Amino acid sequence: MGPIELEESLYLFEPDEEERARLNNQHRVLIRLIENRILHAPIDPSAIATVADVGTGTGIWLDALATHLDAIPILTPAATDQVQRQYDGLDMTPANFPAAQSHPDNFHYDVYNILQPVPEERKGKYDLVHVRLLAAAFSKGQVDIAVDNLVQLLPKLTGDFAREGPGGWIQWEELDGDSWAGRVPSPHVREMSELGRKHMEAKEWELHLFPQSVPAAFLKAAKAHPSLQNVSEKIYNTVTHGYEIKDAINSTWLWSCTRSAKMILLASGKSNVEEEMQRLEQGARRDIERGGLFWDSDEHVLLAQRKWQINT
């Protein structure tokens, strides 16, 4: 599959050094928010030999996962002849990939759009498929397509009888539409959020089609999928779980909010974008500092496991 041009992508942010820094900073804050858990129970780390990180960005989540997993032996029968775990980062925006010389030879990065058919060589290849913050990638109804494609990446286990696990896992971390904007009582933040809301509604993105949201759409699609079981959700709230990193959360959410608002304004052809963004960003900072405000958001951790299937 050839590279996907930015204009063909739903990705809102331009892939530059600022965006790579934003993604890496965002990762560090989100991991702390979910209590530094790179994997979530009941996923068994010893059963993971191959990993796909869909929407990998800079690959920072894969790096963190490898640090966690590589100290744990692989105990699955299929991995008896495997020396190293395999880490594959997949994204439709390859400009954010790490340089080839910066990662070990068991890390690979490739262009893939989760809404496109799964390449034959990737079907059934992965014990774990990870997804994070792809809400702005989906128009209405496309989460079903994404879930079906994610299932195809997991091994199709068969046997003479049905049983519970051990099947491959999907782990998806996402914000709902309300949480992307953040429940923060700042008129300047609301103004930027309204720019994003109108932009996303115009494109019919799933994120802002209330009461539906990407986490809700995932749960619905996963529970209805005939090849998935053990579907679950845990919600981590910034106020409840992240008060000790309040400043980092405020800074990270504001960074994303202002950057997305700027991209939308630039795409609109307005002539005074820099002045407008200076007004909005400085105003939001003053609102947060003077009011002691905290960006109130929910991070959803969604899990689903592939079923064993009966031989026919």
Side-chain angles (χ1 to χ4, degrees), residues 14 23 82 115-116 118 184 186 256:
E14 188 169 348
L23 288 170
Q82 183 168 331
L115 297 176
Q116 295 177 351
V118 177
V184 53
S186 157
S256 294

Side-chain angles (χ1 to χ4, degrees), residues 219-227:
L219 288 172
K220 181 179 179 181
K223 289 177 179 178
H225 200 286
S227 296

Side-chain angles (χ1 to χ4, degrees), residues 19-183:
E19 176 58 7
R20 287 184 279 277
R22 187 191 70 83
L23 288 170
N24 289 341
N25 180 68
Q26 176 179 264
H27 162 83
R28 289 185 285 268
V29 173
L30 289 174
I31 285 293
R32 290 182 67 185
L33 176 59
I34 57 176
E35 301 173 349
N36 294 308
R37 296 177 184 173
I38 193 74
L39 286 180
H40 293 258
I43 298 175
D44 178 4
S46 69
I48 298 171
T50 51
V51 180
D53 184 26
V54 178
T56 194
T58 65
I60 190 170
W61 185 88
L62 276 183
D63 289 340
L65 179 70
T67 299
H68 174 71
L69 282 185
D70 286 352
I72 302 171
I74 305 170
L75 300 181
T76 60
T80 55
D81 59 347
Q82 183 168 331
V83 177
Q84 290 181 307
R85 285 183 168 93
Q86 178 67 48
Y87 301 99
D88 288 354
L90 308 176
D91 205 305
M92 62 191 300
T93 309
N96 288 327
F97 290 166
Q101 64 271 22
S102 69
H103 52 78
D105 58 8
N106 61 327
F107 282 69
H108 298 278
Y109 294 88
D110 199 4
V111 174
Y112 174 58
N113 178 354
I114 192 56
L115 297 176
Q116 295 177 351
V118 177
E120 287 299 322
E121 66 272 16
R122 296 197 183 279
K123 288 183 178 180
K125 180 179 179 180
Y126 302 103
D127 303 310
L128 172 67
V129 177
H130 175 257
V131 182
R132 184 169 63 188
L133 300 191
L134 287 190
F138 303 119
S139 298
K140 185 177 180 181
Q142 289 184 330
V143 173
D144 289 2
I145 298 171
V147 168
D148 192 59
N149 286 343
L150 292 172
V151 170
Q152 292 183 54
L153 293 168
L154 299 172
K156 183 177 180 181
L157 303 173
T158 59
D160 294 329
F161 53 90
R163 57 172 171 162
E164 296 291 313
W169 285 92
I170 299 168
Q171 178 177 303
W172 189 325
E173 295 131 41
E174 194 57 78
L175 303 177
D176 56 58
D178 192 28
S179 294
W180 272 85
R183 296 176 289 271

Side-chain angles (χ1 to χ4, degrees), residues 1-6 8 92 94 111:
M1 184 188 307
I4 297 174
E5 296 297 328
L6 183 62
E8 298 172 4
M92 62 191 300
V111 174

